[in-house]
Amino acid sequence: MKAEPKTILRFLVEHYDVIAELFETQKNDGIIAYEVLNSIIAKHEHDIKSQLIEYKILSPVNDNYEIRTVYYNLIEFILSEFKPMLPETIEKYHTSVAELFRKIRENINGDKVTLSQRLNDIAIEIRSFYEMVERNTQSLLTETRELKANVKKIDYREKIVRASRWIDEYIIPLNKILDINHSSSMANKLYEISEFSNKYRLNFDDEGARVQFEKLYFQLIQVNDNLLRQSKILTNELLPLIERIRTESIILTGWITFMKNPYKRKVPKLLKRKEVSVYSNDTFFNAAEIFEQFKNETDVYFEEEEHESEKWIFDKDHYTKKLKDNLPVENFFSWCNKTLKEDYKKVEIEKFFALTTLAFDEDIEREYGAKPQFDKIRINDLTLTVPKVTINQHTLIDPKDGIS
Amino acid sequence: MEFPNHHRQIVEDLMAGKFVLPQERTYQVLRDNEQSYSYFFKASFNYELRLTQDYAYVVSEESAEMLSRDICIFIALLSYELDRDGKNFLERIQFSEFEMEEIENYFTNSSYIDLILSNKQLKDTDSRKNFINTLNRRNIIEKTGDNRFVFTSAHKFFMDFASDIVKYENAEKDE
């Protein structure tokens, strides 16, 4: 490359907008089509196509272009826009690290230069592995949060598909890689290397190698801590979040499907409460039973009640006259009893009391004697104790006789 | 013959179509005597006792289908509107208190307004208020004030139904 490094970096800064747009195109389409490249360059009004190729930022693929990996990774890193990688891709580090470790262990007393190179390589592989895990976790988290907020307004069914795919294809396998308790996991292999480095950093005849072991050991302590943190993010945050998206989406999809035809779909059974109601299945028969009682009715006649005797009305005038005719009356209550007996065969108590009211007449003069005396009068089955009252005079003007 | 404690309460609640909830003392009795109560309800009324970790209830062949459908519509609409409003509807239904005013807002401004107006129990404010009382009687919600309520764990009965719709449809597609 003829260009100076500073020239290339300056070019990247000056034309960052074009390069970022090209990056976005490749990220989405996997490649930059010839026409797309031309239109992006034309849009930004800088004909930089030749420099892009000269500085080896773009490389041709048939008639199209793609950003070279080193630049692609740089921009990806700057933008923190990583696409989640399939765990298979990450798993390749397991093989390379395991292979390097096997060779280091088996040839620990072999050529020191080769050992040093292998220790260097294993450190690079471990760093790359960790960076990839971290990028993957972060990108999954970003994508999941976006899915949760549904920025792209995707359908609920699509949400279920995505959430399920991420769980099954990314998160669970990634978790297996990071599971220290799993004997064949990468985390377990790193732990094994860490133990080995710890031993040789303290006890090895070559000082350079000891330093390298020490460096590897502390790197591994750091990596193990970080991996544990990533594992926690996966199990404590990402997995529950994505599970919830899946559950929510399933339920909401169910409800939306239900509401498309809510009256035709079978619904869950709920107990029908037994209530006493006039409207029941038996109402007809109950009513029929009641009406059947009146089917063969016979004529019923009501006879008017005959009064045995006419109601007696007290004739005050008649008895006042009779009293006056009999004056003086020595014992008023005995007179009442005697008078009634003369008029009627049987003396009722009502008649007796009615007649005695004459004694309360204001026009009558009553004498009770110096000492109160009582008589007993028998009316039917009743014996009355009454005072002895004498009546000598009546002052009422008789309509027929004038003043008496 | 001896019956477990709170037997009468258990029978009365379940026969009234209520969901018995884990926080009620009767739930534990039911759990401890699940087998005998299953037999009791089957032999006495031909009812089936269903006990889950979230609720207990009985069902018979004769179902309150109309009520069940209206409850499904109510929860479906609420879930849909909460989600449309950017809320985590499952979390809200599970953990939050609702005010009638909020329910009214969602229902009156819903795009499912035709469905709402055609439903006797959900068509207007008064009907919805009565409906909330019905849900309360069945222990599907718990009223926390005149105009406030929370959903009980019995709401999961209906959420499971919604999940089953999708599972059933997916299974049909797979066949």
Side-chain angles (χ1 to χ4, degrees), chain B residues 47-94:
Chain B
Y47 288 174
E48 200 183 317
L49 173 70
R50 290 186 189 164
L51 194 64
T52 74
Q53 58 178 359
D54 298 307
Y55 48 78
Y57 70 109
V58 290
V59 279
S60 70
E61 278 309 306
E62 203 182 345
S63 165
E65 197 181 318
M66 189 114 80
L67 176 66
S68 177
R69 194 175 299 283
D70 292 342
I71 298 172
C72 287
I73 294 174
F74 177 77
I75 297 179
L77 281 166
L78 187 61
S79 302
Y80 178 82
E81 293 301 334
L82 283 168
D83 179 75
R84 199 182 51 79
D85 201 16
K87 309 265 168 61
N88 296 326
F89 76 92
L90 264 188
E91 281 169 26
R92 278 234 49 199
I93 288 178
Q94 205 167 346

Side-chain angles (χ1 to χ4, degrees), chain B residues 5-6 9-10 20-30:
Chain B
N5 288 339
H6 316 299
Q9 184 76 43
I10 289 170
V20 173
L21 307 169
Q23 65 266 31
E24 294 173 45
R25 58 190 183 180
T26 44
Y27 177 85
Q28 196 50 48
V29 181
L30 268 170

